[in-house]
Amino acid sequence: MVELEFQEKTKQLIDSLKSICATNGLGNSTGEFEIITQVFLYKFLNDKFAFEAKKIDANLAKAEKWEETVESMSEDDLEMLQLQMGGDTARLKPHHFISYLFSQQNEPDFAKLFDDTLMDIAATNNDVFSVMTDSGEKVRLFSRINENVTVSKRDAFCRAIINKLIEFSFERIFTQKFDFYATIFEYIIKDYNSNSGGKYAEYYTPHAVARIMAAILVPEAQRGQIKNVSCYDPSAGSGTLLMNVAHAIGENRCSIYTQDISKKSSNLLRLNLILNNLVHSIPNVIEGDTLRHPHHKDGAQLKKFDYIVSNPPFKLDFSDIREELDSKENKERFFAGIPTVPKKEKDKMKIYTLFLQHIITSLKSEGKAAVVVPTGFITAKTGIDNKILKHLVDNKMLAGVVSMPSNIFATTGTNVSILFIDDSNKGDVVLIDASNLGEKVKDGKNQKTVLSPAEEQKIIDVFNDKQAVEDLSVAVSYEEIAAKNYSLSAGQYFDVKIEYVDITPDEFKAKMQSFTDNLDSLFSQSHELEAEIKKQLAGLNYGS
Protein backbone atom coordinates (compact mmCIF):
# COMPACT_ATOMS: atom_id res chain seq x y z
CA MET A 1 0.00 0.00 0.00
CA VAL A 2 2.81 2.42 0.85
CA GLU A 3 4.33 1.93 -2.60
CA LEU A 4 1.06 2.62 -4.44
CA GLU A 5 0.27 5.58 -2.20
CA PHE A 6 3.59 7.26 -2.85
CA GLN A 7 3.59 6.48 -6.55
CA GLU A 8 0.28 8.31 -6.74
CA LYS A 9 1.53 11.21 -4.60
CA THR A 10 4.66 11.51 -6.71
CA LYS A 11 2.68 11.56 -9.94
CA GLN A 12 0.38 14.22 -8.48
CA LEU A 13 3.43 16.30 -7.53
CA ILE A 14 4.89 16.04 -11.05
CA ASP A 15 1.53 16.92 -12.60
CA SER A 16 1.18 19.90 -10.25
CA LEU A 17 4.65 21.19 -11.17
CA LYS A 18 3.79 20.86 -14.87
CA SER A 19 0.58 22.77 -14.28
CA ILE A 20 2.53 25.57 -12.56
CA CYS A 21 4.91 25.69 -15.53
CA ALA A 22 2.04 25.77 -18.03
CA THR A 23 0.35 28.62 -16.14
CA ASN A 24 3.57 30.60 -16.50
CA GLY A 25 3.98 29.94 -20.22
CA LEU A 26 6.58 27.19 -19.90
CA GLY A 27 4.51 24.17 -20.93
CA ASN A 28 6.41 21.61 -23.03
CA SER A 29 9.52 23.79 -23.16
CA THR A 30 13.18 23.09 -22.39
CA GLY A 31 12.69 25.33 -19.37
CA GLU A 32 9.89 23.10 -18.11
CA PHE A 33 12.11 20.00 -18.41
CA GLU A 34 14.85 21.64 -16.33
CA ILE A 35 12.42 22.93 -13.71
CA ILE A 36 10.56 19.63 -13.26
CA THR A 37 13.68 17.49 -12.96
CA GLN A 38 15.55 19.94 -10.72
CA VAL A 39 12.66 20.68 -8.37
CA PHE A 40 11.88 16.96 -8.02
CA LEU A 41 15.54 16.28 -7.27
CA TYR A 42 15.64 19.05 -4.67
CA LYS A 43 12.61 17.50 -2.98
CA PHE A 44 14.13 14.03 -3.12
CA LEU A 45 17.49 15.13 -1.64
CA ASN A 46 15.80 17.13 1.13
CA ASP A 47 13.67 14.17 2.23
CA LYS A 48 16.56 11.70 1.87
CA PHE A 49 18.60 13.89 4.22
CA ALA A 50 15.75 13.77 6.76
CA PHE A 51 15.42 9.98 6.41
CA GLU A 52 19.15 9.34 6.94
CA ALA A 53 19.49 11.88 9.76
CA LYS A 54 16.62 10.34 11.73
CA LYS A 55 18.16 6.85 11.36
CA ILE A 56 21.36 8.11 12.97
CA ASP A 57 20.07 10.53 15.63
CA ALA A 58 17.24 9.37 17.92
CA ASN A 59 16.50 12.96 19.00
CA LEU A 60 15.83 13.93 15.40
CA ALA A 61 13.56 10.93 14.94
CA LYS A 62 11.46 11.97 17.97
CA ALA A 63 11.42 15.70 17.25
CA GLU A 64 8.15 17.23 16.07
CA LYS A 65 10.12 19.55 13.76
CA TRP A 66 13.40 17.84 12.91
CA GLU A 67 14.63 20.87 10.95
CA GLU A 68 14.67 23.01 14.10
CA THR A 69 16.67 20.34 15.93
CA VAL A 70 19.25 20.31 13.14
CA GLU A 71 19.40 24.09 13.19
CA SER A 72 20.19 24.04 16.92
CA MET A 73 23.21 21.73 16.38
CA SER A 74 26.74 23.03 16.56
CA GLU A 75 28.76 23.06 13.36
CA ASP A 76 30.86 20.14 14.62
CA ASP A 77 27.81 18.05 15.52
CA LEU A 78 26.21 18.73 12.13
CA GLU A 79 29.45 17.79 10.36
CA MET A 80 29.64 14.54 12.33
CA LEU A 81 26.01 13.75 11.48
CA GLN A 82 26.66 14.25 7.78
CA LEU A 83 29.81 12.13 7.84
CA GLN A 84 27.78 9.23 9.23
CA MET A 85 25.20 9.53 6.44
CA GLY A 86 27.43 8.19 3.70
CA GLY A 87 28.27 9.45 0.24
CA ASP A 88 24.88 9.05 -1.43
CA THR A 89 23.16 11.69 0.75
CA ALA A 90 23.57 15.36 -0.18
CA ARG A 91 25.23 17.65 2.36
CA LEU A 92 22.56 20.18 3.37
CA LYS A 93 22.53 23.14 5.76
CA PRO A 94 19.46 24.32 7.70
CA HIS A 95 18.82 27.19 5.26
CA HIS A 96 18.71 24.63 2.40
CA PHE A 97 15.66 22.83 3.79
CA ILE A 98 12.27 23.07 2.08
CA SER A 99 10.72 24.10 5.41
CA TYR A 100 13.04 27.11 5.62
CA LEU A 101 12.15 28.30 2.10
CA PHE A 102 8.48 27.74 2.92
CA SER A 103 8.83 30.06 5.93
CA GLN A 104 10.49 32.73 3.77
CA GLN A 105 8.05 32.70 0.84
CA ASN A 106 6.52 36.10 1.58
CA GLU A 107 9.86 37.89 1.84
CA PRO A 108 10.96 40.24 -0.97
CA ASP A 109 12.93 38.61 -3.83
CA PHE A 110 11.82 35.11 -2.82
CA ALA A 111 12.60 33.83 -6.31
CA LYS A 112 16.22 34.94 -5.91
CA LEU A 113 16.42 33.20 -2.52
CA PHE A 114 15.01 30.02 -4.11
CA ASP A 115 17.59 30.09 -6.91
CA ASP A 116 20.44 30.99 -4.54
CA THR A 117 19.51 28.03 -2.34
CA LEU A 118 19.73 25.57 -5.23
CA MET A 119 23.02 27.07 -6.39
CA ASP A 120 24.48 26.80 -2.87
CA ILE A 121 23.41 23.14 -2.59
CA ALA A 122 25.07 22.49 -5.95
CA ALA A 123 28.31 24.19 -4.85
CA THR A 124 28.35 22.36 -1.49
CA ASN A 125 27.95 18.98 -3.23
CA ASN A 126 29.96 19.69 -6.37
CA ASP A 127 32.59 16.98 -5.86
CA VAL A 128 30.06 14.13 -5.59
CA PHE A 129 27.07 15.13 -7.70
CA SER A 130 28.64 16.87 -10.71
CA VAL A 131 28.61 15.41 -14.20
CA MET A 132 31.79 16.03 -16.18
CA THR A 133 32.11 17.01 -19.84
CA ASP A 134 34.78 15.45 -22.05
CA SER A 135 36.69 18.75 -21.82
CA GLY A 136 36.90 18.47 -18.02
CA GLU A 137 34.22 21.03 -17.13
CA LYS A 138 31.92 20.11 -14.24
CA VAL A 139 28.16 20.39 -14.80
CA ARG A 140 26.62 21.23 -11.43
CA LEU A 141 23.63 19.58 -9.82
CA PHE A 142 21.36 22.62 -10.19
CA SER A 143 21.04 25.75 -12.29
CA ARG A 144 18.78 28.76 -11.80
CA ILE A 145 15.18 27.79 -12.53
CA ASN A 146 13.80 31.32 -12.93
CA GLU A 147 15.72 32.38 -16.02
CA ASN A 148 12.84 31.48 -18.36
CA VAL A 149 10.12 32.98 -16.15
CA THR A 150 8.84 36.54 -16.66
CA VAL A 151 10.48 38.73 -13.98
CA SER A 152 7.18 39.97 -12.58
CA LYS A 153 5.93 36.38 -12.09
CA ARG A 154 9.03 34.85 -10.50
CA ASP A 155 8.15 35.26 -6.82
CA ALA A 156 4.64 33.86 -7.33
CA PHE A 157 6.05 31.04 -9.45
CA CYS A 158 8.47 29.95 -6.71
CA ARG A 159 5.83 30.33 -4.01
CA ALA A 160 3.56 27.98 -5.94
CA ILE A 161 6.38 25.43 -6.20
CA ILE A 162 7.42 25.54 -2.53
CA ASN A 163 3.79 25.11 -1.42
CA LYS A 164 3.62 21.89 -3.45
CA LEU A 165 6.91 20.56 -2.06
CA ILE A 166 5.82 20.98 1.57
CA GLU A 167 2.64 18.90 1.20
CA PHE A 168 4.21 15.47 1.89
CA SER A 169 7.54 13.77 2.52
CA PHE A 170 9.19 10.93 0.63
CA GLU A 171 10.76 9.61 3.85
CA ARG A 172 8.64 6.45 4.04
CA ILE A 173 9.65 5.25 0.55
CA PHE A 174 13.43 5.15 0.88
CA THR A 175 13.28 1.46 1.75
CA GLN A 176 11.69 0.73 -1.65
CA LYS A 177 13.74 -0.93 -4.39
CA PHE A 178 14.54 -0.58 -8.08
CA ASP A 179 11.12 -1.34 -9.57
CA PHE A 180 9.51 1.49 -7.58
CA TYR A 181 12.05 4.09 -8.68
CA ALA A 182 12.03 2.87 -12.28
CA THR A 183 8.28 3.57 -12.42
CA ILE A 184 8.71 7.02 -10.84
CA PHE A 185 11.62 7.93 -13.13
CA GLU A 186 9.67 6.88 -16.21
CA TYR A 187 6.75 9.08 -15.16
CA ILE A 188 9.00 12.10 -14.55
CA ILE A 189 10.66 11.93 -17.96
CA LYS A 190 7.80 10.57 -20.09
CA ASP A 191 7.33 13.88 -21.91
CA TYR A 192 11.01 14.75 -22.24
CA ASN A 193 12.93 11.68 -23.45
CA SER A 194 11.93 11.50 -27.11
CA ASN A 195 13.54 11.13 -30.52
CA SER A 196 13.01 14.76 -31.45
CA GLY A 197 15.83 17.20 -31.99
CA GLY A 198 19.55 17.18 -31.49
CA LYS A 199 22.40 15.18 -32.90
CA TYR A 200 22.46 11.58 -31.61
CA ALA A 201 18.94 12.19 -30.23
CA GLU A 202 18.04 9.36 -27.90
CA TYR A 203 15.29 6.84 -28.42
CA TYR A 204 13.64 5.68 -25.24
CA THR A 205 14.54 2.02 -24.82
CA PRO A 206 11.45 -0.08 -23.97
CA HIS A 207 11.59 -1.77 -20.59
CA ALA A 208 10.96 -5.17 -22.18
CA VAL A 209 14.20 -4.81 -24.17
CA ALA A 210 16.08 -3.62 -21.09
CA ARG A 211 14.78 -6.47 -18.91
CA ILE A 212 15.62 -9.14 -21.50
CA MET A 213 19.13 -7.77 -21.94
CA ALA A 214 19.78 -7.71 -18.18
CA ALA A 215 18.30 -11.16 -17.54
CA ILE A 216 20.46 -12.75 -20.25
CA LEU A 217 23.67 -10.89 -19.34
CA VAL A 218 23.16 -11.67 -15.65
CA PRO A 219 21.19 -14.95 -15.32
CA GLU A 220 19.21 -15.54 -12.14
CA ALA A 221 21.62 -18.25 -10.99
CA GLN A 222 24.55 -15.79 -11.00
CA ARG A 223 22.86 -13.02 -9.04
CA GLY A 224 24.46 -12.30 -5.70
CA GLN A 225 27.73 -13.89 -6.83
CA ILE A 226 29.06 -11.11 -9.07
CA LYS A 227 30.91 -8.21 -7.42
CA ASN A 228 33.29 -5.34 -8.15
CA VAL A 229 32.44 -5.21 -11.85
CA SER A 230 32.24 -2.32 -14.31
CA CYS A 231 29.21 -1.61 -16.51
CA TYR A 232 29.45 0.74 -19.49
CA ASP A 233 27.19 2.37 -22.06
CA PRO A 234 28.83 4.59 -24.70
CA SER A 235 25.48 6.07 -25.80
CA ALA A 236 23.75 5.95 -22.44
CA GLY A 237 20.71 8.18 -22.92
CA SER A 238 18.82 8.36 -19.62
CA GLY A 239 20.31 5.07 -18.42
CA THR A 240 17.42 2.59 -18.70
CA LEU A 241 19.67 -0.25 -19.87
CA LEU A 242 22.34 0.37 -17.23
CA MET A 243 19.84 0.62 -14.36
CA ASN A 244 18.41 -2.79 -15.24
CA VAL A 245 21.86 -4.40 -15.42
CA ALA A 246 23.00 -2.73 -12.18
CA HIS A 247 19.86 -3.95 -10.42
CA ALA A 248 20.48 -7.52 -11.66
CA ILE A 249 24.08 -7.44 -10.40
CA GLY A 250 23.37 -5.43 -7.24
CA GLU A 251 23.78 -1.67 -7.04
CA ASN A 252 26.54 -1.94 -4.44
CA ARG A 253 28.41 -4.59 -6.46
CA CYS A 254 29.08 -2.59 -9.62
CA SER A 255 30.24 0.77 -10.92
CA ILE A 256 28.56 2.53 -13.83
CA TYR A 257 30.49 4.28 -16.62
CA THR A 258 28.78 6.27 -19.34
CA GLN A 259 29.23 8.79 -22.10
CA ASP A 260 26.57 10.58 -24.14
CA ILE A 261 26.73 13.63 -26.36
CA SER A 262 23.40 14.97 -25.04
CA LYS A 263 23.39 17.33 -22.07
CA LYS A 264 19.74 16.50 -21.40
CA SER A 265 20.48 12.75 -21.35
CA SER A 266 23.40 13.19 -18.95
CA ASN A 267 21.24 15.19 -16.54
CA LEU A 268 18.51 12.57 -16.68
CA LEU A 269 21.06 9.83 -16.12
CA ARG A 270 22.38 11.63 -13.04
CA LEU A 271 18.83 11.77 -11.65
CA ASN A 272 18.42 8.05 -12.40
CA LEU A 273 21.63 7.19 -10.56
CA ILE A 274 20.58 9.23 -7.52
CA LEU A 275 17.17 7.54 -7.40
CA ASN A 276 18.72 4.08 -7.70
CA ASN A 277 21.41 4.30 -5.01
CA LEU A 278 24.26 4.63 -7.53
CA VAL A 279 25.56 8.05 -6.49
CA HIS A 280 29.07 6.60 -6.30
CA SER A 281 29.04 6.31 -10.11
CA ILE A 282 28.11 9.93 -10.91
CA PRO A 283 31.79 10.95 -11.37
CA ASN A 284 31.92 8.37 -14.20
CA VAL A 285 29.08 10.09 -16.13
CA ILE A 286 30.59 12.01 -19.05
CA GLU A 287 28.79 14.44 -21.33
CA GLY A 288 30.64 14.24 -24.64
CA ASP A 289 31.15 12.63 -28.04
CA THR A 290 32.16 8.98 -27.59
CA LEU A 291 33.24 8.54 -31.21
CA ARG A 292 35.52 11.58 -31.40
CA HIS A 293 36.66 11.82 -27.79
CA PRO A 294 36.17 8.55 -25.85
CA HIS A 295 36.74 9.61 -22.26
CA HIS A 296 37.14 6.39 -20.30
CA LYS A 297 40.72 5.20 -20.72
CA ASP A 298 43.52 3.38 -18.95
CA GLY A 299 46.50 5.47 -19.95
CA ALA A 300 46.44 5.86 -23.73
CA GLN A 301 44.27 2.78 -24.27
CA LEU A 302 40.49 2.45 -24.07
CA LYS A 303 39.29 1.26 -20.68
CA LYS A 304 37.98 -2.33 -20.78
CA PHE A 305 34.68 -3.21 -19.12
CA ASP A 306 33.05 -6.34 -17.69
CA TYR A 307 29.56 -5.52 -19.03
CA ILE A 308 28.51 -3.23 -21.86
CA VAL A 309 24.95 -2.39 -22.90
CA SER A 310 23.89 0.00 -25.61
CA ASN A 311 21.06 1.14 -27.84
CA PRO A 312 23.13 3.35 -30.18
CA PRO A 313 21.75 5.62 -32.89
CA PHE A 314 21.32 3.54 -36.06
CA LYS A 315 21.71 5.91 -39.00
CA LEU A 316 22.95 9.50 -38.85
CA ASP A 317 24.94 12.01 -40.85
CA PHE A 318 28.42 12.16 -39.35
CA SER A 319 30.14 13.23 -42.58
CA ASP A 320 31.50 16.35 -40.86
CA ILE A 321 33.68 14.24 -38.53
CA ARG A 322 34.33 11.22 -40.77
CA GLU A 323 37.81 12.33 -41.77
CA GLU A 324 38.69 12.93 -38.12
CA LEU A 325 37.58 9.39 -37.22
CA ASP A 326 39.47 7.84 -40.14
CA SER A 327 42.86 8.30 -38.49
CA LYS A 328 45.80 6.08 -37.60
CA GLU A 329 45.00 6.16 -33.87
CA ASN A 330 41.48 4.84 -34.58
CA LYS A 331 42.55 1.91 -36.81
CA GLU A 332 42.42 -0.60 -33.96
CA ARG A 333 39.14 0.72 -32.54
CA PHE A 334 37.32 0.81 -35.89
CA PHE A 335 38.83 -2.46 -37.13
CA ALA A 336 36.13 -3.14 -39.75
CA GLY A 337 36.25 0.35 -41.23
CA ILE A 338 34.30 3.60 -41.25
CA PRO A 339 31.15 3.97 -43.36
CA THR A 340 31.49 6.12 -46.46
CA VAL A 341 29.30 9.12 -47.21
CA PRO A 342 26.46 8.16 -49.59
CA LYS A 343 25.95 10.37 -52.65
CA LYS A 344 22.39 10.93 -51.47
CA GLU A 345 20.80 10.79 -48.01
CA LYS A 346 23.79 11.45 -45.77
CA ASP A 347 21.53 10.84 -42.80
CA LYS A 348 21.53 7.13 -43.72
CA MET A 349 25.21 6.72 -42.73
CA LYS A 350 25.46 3.60 -40.54
CA ILE A 351 26.74 5.20 -37.36
CA TYR A 352 25.74 2.13 -35.30
CA THR A 353 28.62 0.18 -36.87
CA LEU A 354 31.07 2.61 -35.24
CA PHE A 355 29.46 2.23 -31.81
CA LEU A 356 29.43 -1.55 -32.24
CA GLN A 357 33.14 -1.64 -33.10
CA HIS A 358 33.88 0.67 -30.16
CA ILE A 359 31.96 -1.69 -27.85
CA ILE A 360 33.81 -4.78 -29.08
CA THR A 361 37.15 -3.01 -28.58
CA SER A 362 36.10 -1.84 -25.09
CA LEU A 363 35.10 -5.29 -23.83
CA LYS A 364 37.29 -7.16 -21.36
CA SER A 365 38.51 -10.62 -22.18
CA GLU A 366 35.54 -12.84 -21.27
CA GLY A 367 33.38 -9.73 -20.86
CA LYS A 368 29.74 -9.62 -21.94
CA ALA A 369 27.79 -7.09 -24.02
CA ALA A 370 24.26 -6.63 -25.33
CA VAL A 371 23.65 -4.17 -28.17
CA VAL A 372 20.47 -3.18 -30.00
CA VAL A 373 21.07 -3.29 -33.77
CA PRO A 374 18.84 -3.03 -36.86
CA THR A 375 17.78 -6.56 -37.81
CA GLY A 376 19.27 -6.10 -41.29
CA PHE A 377 22.71 -6.19 -39.67
CA ILE A 378 22.46 -9.85 -38.67
CA THR A 379 22.14 -11.05 -42.29
CA ALA A 380 24.59 -8.60 -43.93
CA LYS A 381 26.49 -10.24 -46.79
CA THR A 382 28.93 -7.43 -47.59
CA GLY A 383 30.54 -4.29 -46.25
CA ILE A 384 31.44 -3.23 -42.73
CA ASP A 385 28.46 -5.08 -41.22
CA ASN A 386 29.66 -8.40 -42.63
CA LYS A 387 33.23 -7.73 -41.48
CA ILE A 388 31.97 -7.22 -37.93
CA LEU A 389 29.92 -10.43 -38.11
CA LYS A 390 32.96 -12.35 -39.36
CA HIS A 391 35.08 -10.89 -36.55
CA LEU A 392 32.59 -12.02 -33.90
CA VAL A 393 32.18 -15.51 -35.36
CA ASP A 394 35.81 -16.18 -36.29
CA ASN A 395 36.98 -15.04 -32.84
CA LYS A 396 34.23 -17.08 -31.15
CA MET A 397 32.82 -14.24 -29.07
CA LEU A 398 29.07 -14.56 -29.54
CA ALA A 399 26.35 -15.65 -27.14
CA GLY A 400 23.48 -15.18 -29.57
CA VAL A 401 20.81 -12.95 -31.07
CA VAL A 402 17.18 -12.19 -30.22
CA SER A 403 15.22 -10.74 -33.16
CA MET A 404 12.44 -8.66 -31.64
CA PRO A 405 8.88 -8.11 -32.94
CA SER A 406 8.34 -5.18 -35.29
CA ASN A 407 7.38 -1.87 -33.65
CA ILE A 408 8.84 -2.84 -30.28
CA PHE A 409 9.94 0.81 -30.34
CA ALA A 410 6.83 2.95 -30.88
CA THR A 411 9.01 5.79 -32.21
CA THR A 412 10.61 3.90 -35.09
CA GLY A 413 9.44 1.28 -37.58
CA THR A 414 12.92 -0.21 -37.88
CA ASN A 415 13.00 -3.89 -36.94
CA VAL A 416 15.58 -4.47 -34.22
CA SER A 417 17.56 -7.37 -32.82
CA ILE A 418 19.61 -7.68 -29.65
CA LEU A 419 23.14 -8.87 -30.29
CA PHE A 420 24.71 -10.66 -27.30
CA ILE A 421 28.51 -10.75 -27.26
CA ASP A 422 30.30 -13.12 -24.88
CA ASP A 423 34.01 -13.73 -25.29
CA SER A 424 33.82 -16.74 -22.96
CA ASN A 425 31.27 -18.65 -25.08
CA LYS A 426 33.10 -21.14 -27.28
CA GLY A 427 30.10 -23.48 -27.59
CA ASP A 428 26.80 -23.13 -29.42
CA VAL A 429 25.27 -19.76 -30.27
CA VAL A 430 21.56 -19.19 -29.56
CA LEU A 431 19.45 -17.56 -32.26
CA ILE A 432 15.86 -16.57 -31.40
CA ASP A 433 13.21 -15.27 -33.76
CA ALA A 434 10.68 -13.56 -31.49
CA SER A 435 9.12 -11.59 -34.34
CA ASN A 436 5.75 -13.38 -33.99
CA LEU A 437 5.40 -12.68 -30.28
CA GLY A 438 3.67 -9.74 -28.61
CA GLU A 439 0.43 -7.83 -28.95
CA LYS A 440 -0.11 -4.70 -31.07
CA VAL A 441 -1.33 -1.69 -29.07
CA LYS A 442 -1.81 2.01 -29.77
CA ASP A 443 0.73 4.39 -28.23
CA GLY A 444 -0.52 7.90 -28.95
CA LYS A 445 -0.48 8.27 -32.74
CA ASN A 446 1.83 5.28 -33.10
CA GLN A 447 1.41 1.53 -32.87
CA LYS A 448 3.80 -0.58 -30.84
CA THR A 449 4.18 -4.23 -29.92
CA VAL A 450 4.06 -5.17 -26.26
CA LEU A 451 5.44 -8.46 -24.95
CA SER A 452 3.61 -10.12 -22.07
CA PRO A 453 5.63 -11.03 -18.95
CA ALA A 454 5.28 -14.72 -19.94
CA GLU A 455 6.70 -14.01 -23.42
CA GLU A 456 9.62 -12.05 -21.95
CA GLN A 457 10.38 -14.93 -19.60
CA LYS A 458 10.13 -17.47 -22.42
CA ILE A 459 12.76 -15.57 -24.44
CA ILE A 460 15.03 -15.36 -21.40
CA ASP A 461 14.68 -19.05 -20.47
CA VAL A 462 15.13 -20.32 -24.03
CA PHE A 463 18.27 -18.21 -24.47
CA ASN A 464 19.90 -19.01 -21.12
CA ASP A 465 19.14 -22.74 -21.42
CA LYS A 466 20.20 -22.84 -25.11
CA GLN A 467 16.92 -24.51 -26.04
CA ALA A 468 15.92 -25.36 -29.59
CA VAL A 469 12.20 -24.61 -29.88
CA GLU A 470 10.30 -25.18 -33.11
CA ASP A 471 9.82 -21.95 -35.11
CA LEU A 472 11.36 -19.93 -32.26
CA SER A 473 14.98 -20.80 -31.59
CA VAL A 474 18.05 -22.81 -32.58
CA ALA A 475 21.44 -23.46 -31.01
CA VAL A 476 24.12 -23.60 -33.71
CA SER A 477 27.89 -23.92 -33.83
CA TYR A 478 30.29 -21.25 -35.07
CA GLU A 479 31.12 -23.56 -37.97
CA GLU A 480 27.46 -23.74 -39.03
CA ILE A 481 27.23 -19.93 -38.91
CA ALA A 482 30.33 -19.54 -41.09
CA ALA A 483 28.86 -22.02 -43.57
CA LYS A 484 25.73 -19.82 -43.83
CA ASN A 485 27.86 -16.81 -44.82
CA TYR A 486 27.83 -15.58 -41.21
CA SER A 487 24.08 -15.07 -41.01
CA LEU A 488 22.65 -14.77 -37.49
CA SER A 489 19.02 -15.03 -38.54
CA ALA A 490 17.34 -17.93 -36.71
CA GLY A 491 14.96 -18.58 -39.62
CA GLN A 492 17.81 -19.65 -41.89
CA TYR A 493 18.57 -22.55 -39.56
CA PHE A 494 15.03 -23.82 -39.02
CA ASP A 495 14.28 -27.22 -40.58
CA VAL A 496 12.13 -27.08 -43.71
CA LYS A 497 9.04 -29.15 -43.03
CA ILE A 498 6.84 -30.73 -45.71
CA GLU A 499 3.60 -31.97 -44.25
CA TYR A 500 2.08 -35.15 -45.74
CA VAL A 501 -1.58 -36.10 -45.36
CA ASP A 502 -2.65 -39.72 -45.81
CA ILE A 503 -5.71 -40.07 -48.13
CA THR A 504 -7.47 -43.05 -49.70
CA PRO A 505 -7.42 -43.78 -53.50
CA ASP A 506 -11.06 -42.69 -53.74
CA GLU A 507 -10.30 -39.40 -51.96
CA PHE A 508 -7.34 -38.83 -54.31
CA LYS A 509 -9.55 -39.57 -57.38
CA ALA A 510 -12.26 -37.19 -56.14
CA LYS A 511 -9.71 -34.41 -55.48
CA MET A 512 -8.19 -34.79 -58.97
CA GLN A 513 -11.68 -34.77 -60.55
CA SER A 514 -12.39 -31.54 -58.67
CA PHE A 515 -9.24 -29.96 -60.09
CA THR A 516 -10.18 -31.15 -63.62
CA ASP A 517 -13.74 -29.82 -63.38
CA ASN A 518 -12.46 -26.48 -62.14
CA LEU A 519 -10.00 -26.23 -65.04
CA ASP A 520 -12.71 -27.17 -67.59
CA SER A 521 -14.90 -24.38 -66.23
CA LEU A 522 -12.08 -21.85 -66.45
CA PHE A 523 -11.21 -22.94 -70.01
CA SER A 524 -14.88 -22.61 -71.04
CA GLN A 525 -15.06 -19.10 -69.62
CA SER A 526 -11.84 -18.27 -71.44
CA HIS A 527 -13.24 -19.38 -74.83
CA GLU A 528 -16.41 -17.34 -74.29
CA LEU A 529 -14.36 -14.27 -73.41
CA GLU A 530 -12.15 -14.81 -76.47
CA ALA A 531 -15.21 -14.96 -78.80
CA GLU A 532 -16.69 -11.79 -77.24
CA ILE A 533 -13.46 -9.84 -77.70
CA LYS A 534 -13.28 -10.87 -81.42
CA LYS A 535 -16.93 -9.84 -81.90
CA GLN A 536 -16.32 -6.43 -80.37
CA LEU A 537 -13.19 -5.87 -82.48
CA ALA A 538 -15.07 -6.80 -85.70
CA GLY A 539 -17.65 -4.09 -84.95
CA LEU A 540 -15.11 -1.28 -84.81
CA ASN A 541 -15.10 1.10 -87.88
CA TYR A 542 -12.64 3.82 -88.81
CA GLY A 543 -13.77 7.24 -87.56
CA SER A 544 -16.51 5.84 -85.37
Side-chain angles (χ1 to χ4, degrees), residues 335-336 356 360 373 376-398 401 419 478 481 485-489:
F335 57 86
L356 187 49
I360 293 168
V373 296
F377 166 80
I378 66 173
T379 56
K381 299 291 188 288
T382 59
I384 292 171
D385 304 65
N386 186 254
K387 287 180 182 178
I388 297 172
L389 288 172
K390 289 185 69 174
H391 178 90
L392 293 170
V393 174
D394 292 346
N395 288 283
K396 294 187 176 181
M397 52 190 306
L398 272 173
V401 169
L419 178 71
Y478 286 106
I481 296 172
N485 201 14
Y486 298 92
S487 172
L488 299 180
S489 172

Side-chain angles (χ1 to χ4, degrees), residues 132-138 295:
M132 189 180 292
T133 66
D134 54 9
S135 61
E137 177 188 357
K138 285 190 172 182
H295 178 84

Side-chain angles (χ1 to χ4, degrees), residues 52-72:
E52 295 295 341
K54 290 176 183 178
K55 280 202 309 183
I56 293 165
D57 191 315
N59 291 328
L60 288 176
K62 290 184 291 186
E64 185 176 342
K65 294 186 177 180
W66 67 271
E67 298 96 333
E68 292 179 0
T69 306
V70 173
E71 191 173 1
S72 68

Side-chain angles (χ1 to χ4, degrees), residues 128 251 254-258 273 278-285:
V128 177
E251 289 83 358
C254 64
S255 294
I256 300 296
Y257 293 81
T258 76
L273 291 170
L278 284 157
V279 171
H280 61 275
S281 291
I282 290 177
N284 304 328
V285 175

